Short mmCIF file of all heavy atoms in Angstrom, two decimals:
data_model
loop_
_atom_site.label_atom_id
_atom_site.label_comp_id
_atom_site.label_asym_id
_atom_site.label_seq_id
_atom_site.Cartn_x
_atom_site.Cartn_y
_atom_site.Cartn_z
N TYR A 868 -7.86 -46.03 3.66
CA TYR A 868 -9.24 -46.50 3.57
C TYR A 868 -10.21 -45.54 4.23
O TYR A 868 -11.29 -45.29 3.73
CB TYR A 868 -9.35 -47.89 4.22
CG TYR A 868 -10.72 -48.51 4.03
CD1 TYR A 868 -11.08 -49.13 2.83
CD2 TYR A 868 -11.66 -48.44 5.06
CE1 TYR A 868 -12.34 -49.68 2.67
CE2 TYR A 868 -12.92 -49.02 4.90
CZ TYR A 868 -13.25 -49.62 3.71
OH TYR A 868 -14.50 -50.17 3.56
N PHE A 869 -9.82 -44.99 5.37
CA PHE A 869 -10.76 -44.17 6.14
C PHE A 869 -10.57 -42.66 5.94
O PHE A 869 -11.42 -41.90 6.36
CB PHE A 869 -10.63 -44.49 7.63
CG PHE A 869 -11.19 -45.83 7.99
CD1 PHE A 869 -10.36 -46.93 8.08
CD2 PHE A 869 -12.55 -46.00 8.20
CE1 PHE A 869 -10.88 -48.18 8.42
CE2 PHE A 869 -13.07 -47.24 8.53
CZ PHE A 869 -12.23 -48.34 8.64
N SER A 870 -9.45 -42.24 5.34
CA SER A 870 -9.20 -40.80 5.19
C SER A 870 -9.19 -40.42 3.72
O SER A 870 -8.61 -41.14 2.90
CB SER A 870 -7.85 -40.42 5.81
OG SER A 870 -7.84 -40.77 7.18
N PRO A 871 -9.84 -39.32 3.36
CA PRO A 871 -9.83 -38.90 1.96
C PRO A 871 -8.48 -38.33 1.56
O PRO A 871 -7.82 -37.68 2.36
CB PRO A 871 -10.91 -37.79 1.93
CG PRO A 871 -10.92 -37.24 3.31
CD PRO A 871 -10.61 -38.41 4.22
N ALA A 872 -8.07 -38.60 0.34
CA ALA A 872 -6.85 -37.99 -0.17
C ALA A 872 -7.06 -36.49 -0.32
O ALA A 872 -8.11 -36.05 -0.76
CB ALA A 872 -6.47 -38.61 -1.51
N THR A 873 -6.08 -35.71 0.04
CA THR A 873 -6.28 -34.26 0.05
C THR A 873 -4.96 -33.53 -0.08
O THR A 873 -3.90 -34.10 0.16
CB THR A 873 -6.97 -33.82 1.36
OG1 THR A 873 -7.13 -32.41 1.34
CG2 THR A 873 -6.16 -34.20 2.57
N GLU A 874 -5.03 -32.27 -0.48
CA GLU A 874 -3.86 -31.39 -0.47
C GLU A 874 -4.12 -30.21 0.47
O GLU A 874 -3.67 -29.09 0.25
CB GLU A 874 -3.54 -30.89 -1.88
CG GLU A 874 -4.62 -30.00 -2.49
CD GLU A 874 -4.08 -29.01 -3.48
OE1 GLU A 874 -2.86 -28.85 -3.56
OE2 GLU A 874 -4.89 -28.36 -4.16
N LEU A 875 -4.88 -30.49 1.54
CA LEU A 875 -5.23 -29.45 2.51
C LEU A 875 -5.98 -28.31 1.83
O LEU A 875 -5.64 -27.14 1.96
CB LEU A 875 -3.98 -28.91 3.21
CG LEU A 875 -3.18 -29.95 4.01
CD1 LEU A 875 -1.95 -29.30 4.62
CD2 LEU A 875 -4.03 -30.56 5.11
N ALA A 876 -7.00 -28.65 1.06
CA ALA A 876 -7.79 -27.65 0.35
C ALA A 876 -8.37 -26.66 1.34
O ALA A 876 -8.80 -27.01 2.43
CB ALA A 876 -8.91 -28.32 -0.43
N GLY A 877 -8.40 -25.40 0.96
CA GLY A 877 -8.88 -24.35 1.86
C GLY A 877 -7.74 -23.58 2.49
O GLY A 877 -7.94 -22.55 3.09
N TYR A 878 -6.51 -24.09 2.33
CA TYR A 878 -5.36 -23.38 2.87
C TYR A 878 -4.40 -22.98 1.75
O TYR A 878 -3.21 -22.92 1.93
CB TYR A 878 -4.61 -24.27 3.88
CG TYR A 878 -5.35 -24.45 5.17
CD1 TYR A 878 -6.19 -25.54 5.36
CD2 TYR A 878 -5.23 -23.53 6.20
CE1 TYR A 878 -6.88 -25.71 6.54
CE2 TYR A 878 -5.92 -23.68 7.38
CZ TYR A 878 -6.74 -24.78 7.56
OH TYR A 878 -7.42 -24.93 8.73
N SER A 879 -4.95 -22.76 0.57
CA SER A 879 -4.08 -22.45 -0.57
C SER A 879 -3.54 -21.02 -0.50
O SER A 879 -2.43 -20.76 -0.92
CB SER A 879 -4.84 -22.66 -1.88
OG SER A 879 -5.99 -21.84 -1.91
N PHE A 880 -4.36 -20.09 0.01
CA PHE A 880 -3.93 -18.70 0.14
C PHE A 880 -3.28 -18.21 -1.14
O PHE A 880 -2.12 -17.87 -1.19
CB PHE A 880 -2.96 -18.54 1.31
CG PHE A 880 -3.58 -18.82 2.64
CD1 PHE A 880 -3.49 -20.08 3.18
CD2 PHE A 880 -4.28 -17.86 3.32
CE1 PHE A 880 -4.07 -20.37 4.41
CE2 PHE A 880 -4.86 -18.13 4.54
CZ PHE A 880 -4.76 -19.40 5.08
N GLY A 881 -4.08 -18.16 -2.22
CA GLY A 881 -3.57 -17.76 -3.53
C GLY A 881 -3.00 -16.36 -3.52
O GLY A 881 -3.43 -15.48 -2.76
N ILE A 882 -2.03 -16.13 -4.38
CA ILE A 882 -1.41 -14.82 -4.50
C ILE A 882 -0.94 -14.66 -5.94
O ILE A 882 -0.49 -15.62 -6.58
CB ILE A 882 -0.23 -14.67 -3.51
CG1 ILE A 882 0.34 -13.24 -3.58
CG2 ILE A 882 0.84 -15.71 -3.75
CD1 ILE A 882 1.34 -12.95 -2.47
N THR A 883 -1.08 -13.44 -6.50
CA THR A 883 -0.66 -13.19 -7.87
C THR A 883 -0.33 -11.71 -8.00
O THR A 883 -0.60 -10.92 -7.09
CB THR A 883 -1.77 -13.61 -8.87
OG1 THR A 883 -1.26 -13.56 -10.19
CG2 THR A 883 -2.98 -12.69 -8.76
N GLN A 884 0.24 -11.33 -9.15
CA GLN A 884 0.63 -9.94 -9.40
C GLN A 884 0.25 -9.57 -10.82
O GLN A 884 0.42 -10.35 -11.75
CB GLN A 884 2.14 -9.77 -9.20
CG GLN A 884 2.62 -8.33 -9.26
CD GLN A 884 4.08 -8.19 -8.85
OE1 GLN A 884 4.85 -9.15 -8.88
NE2 GLN A 884 4.48 -7.00 -8.47
N ASP A 885 -0.30 -8.34 -10.99
CA ASP A 885 -0.67 -7.91 -12.32
C ASP A 885 0.43 -7.07 -12.95
O ASP A 885 1.46 -6.79 -12.34
CB ASP A 885 -2.01 -7.18 -12.30
CG ASP A 885 -1.95 -5.82 -11.60
OD1 ASP A 885 -0.83 -5.34 -11.34
OD2 ASP A 885 -3.00 -5.24 -11.31
N LYS A 886 0.20 -6.64 -14.19
CA LYS A 886 1.25 -5.92 -14.92
C LYS A 886 1.48 -4.52 -14.37
O LYS A 886 2.51 -3.90 -14.68
CB LYS A 886 0.90 -5.85 -16.41
CG LYS A 886 -0.37 -5.07 -16.72
CD LYS A 886 -0.66 -5.09 -18.21
CE LYS A 886 -1.92 -4.30 -18.55
NZ LYS A 886 -2.21 -4.35 -20.01
N SER A 887 0.55 -4.01 -13.57
CA SER A 887 0.74 -2.70 -12.93
C SER A 887 1.53 -2.79 -11.63
O SER A 887 1.82 -1.77 -11.02
CB SER A 887 -0.63 -2.05 -12.66
OG SER A 887 -1.33 -1.84 -13.86
N GLY A 888 1.86 -4.00 -11.20
CA GLY A 888 2.64 -4.17 -9.98
C GLY A 888 1.81 -4.46 -8.75
O GLY A 888 2.37 -4.73 -7.68
N PHE A 889 0.47 -4.41 -8.84
CA PHE A 889 -0.37 -4.71 -7.69
C PHE A 889 -0.28 -6.20 -7.36
O PHE A 889 -0.26 -7.05 -8.26
CB PHE A 889 -1.83 -4.35 -7.97
CG PHE A 889 -2.10 -2.87 -8.02
CD1 PHE A 889 -2.52 -2.26 -9.18
CD2 PHE A 889 -1.95 -2.09 -6.89
CE1 PHE A 889 -2.78 -0.91 -9.24
CE2 PHE A 889 -2.20 -0.72 -6.92
CZ PHE A 889 -2.61 -0.13 -8.10
N ILE A 890 -0.24 -6.50 -6.07
CA ILE A 890 -0.29 -7.88 -5.58
C ILE A 890 -1.71 -8.15 -5.10
O ILE A 890 -2.30 -7.34 -4.38
CB ILE A 890 0.70 -8.11 -4.43
CG1 ILE A 890 2.14 -7.92 -4.92
CG2 ILE A 890 0.52 -9.49 -3.81
CD1 ILE A 890 2.71 -9.06 -5.70
#
Side-chain angles (χ1 to χ4, degrees):
Y868 186 79
F869 288 96
S870 302
T873 179
E874 64 152 349
L875 299 178
Y878 288 93
S879 59
F880 295 93
I882 184 170
T883 190
Q884 187 172 20
D885 69 12
K886 64 182 181 181
S887 299
F889 289 115
I890 296 283

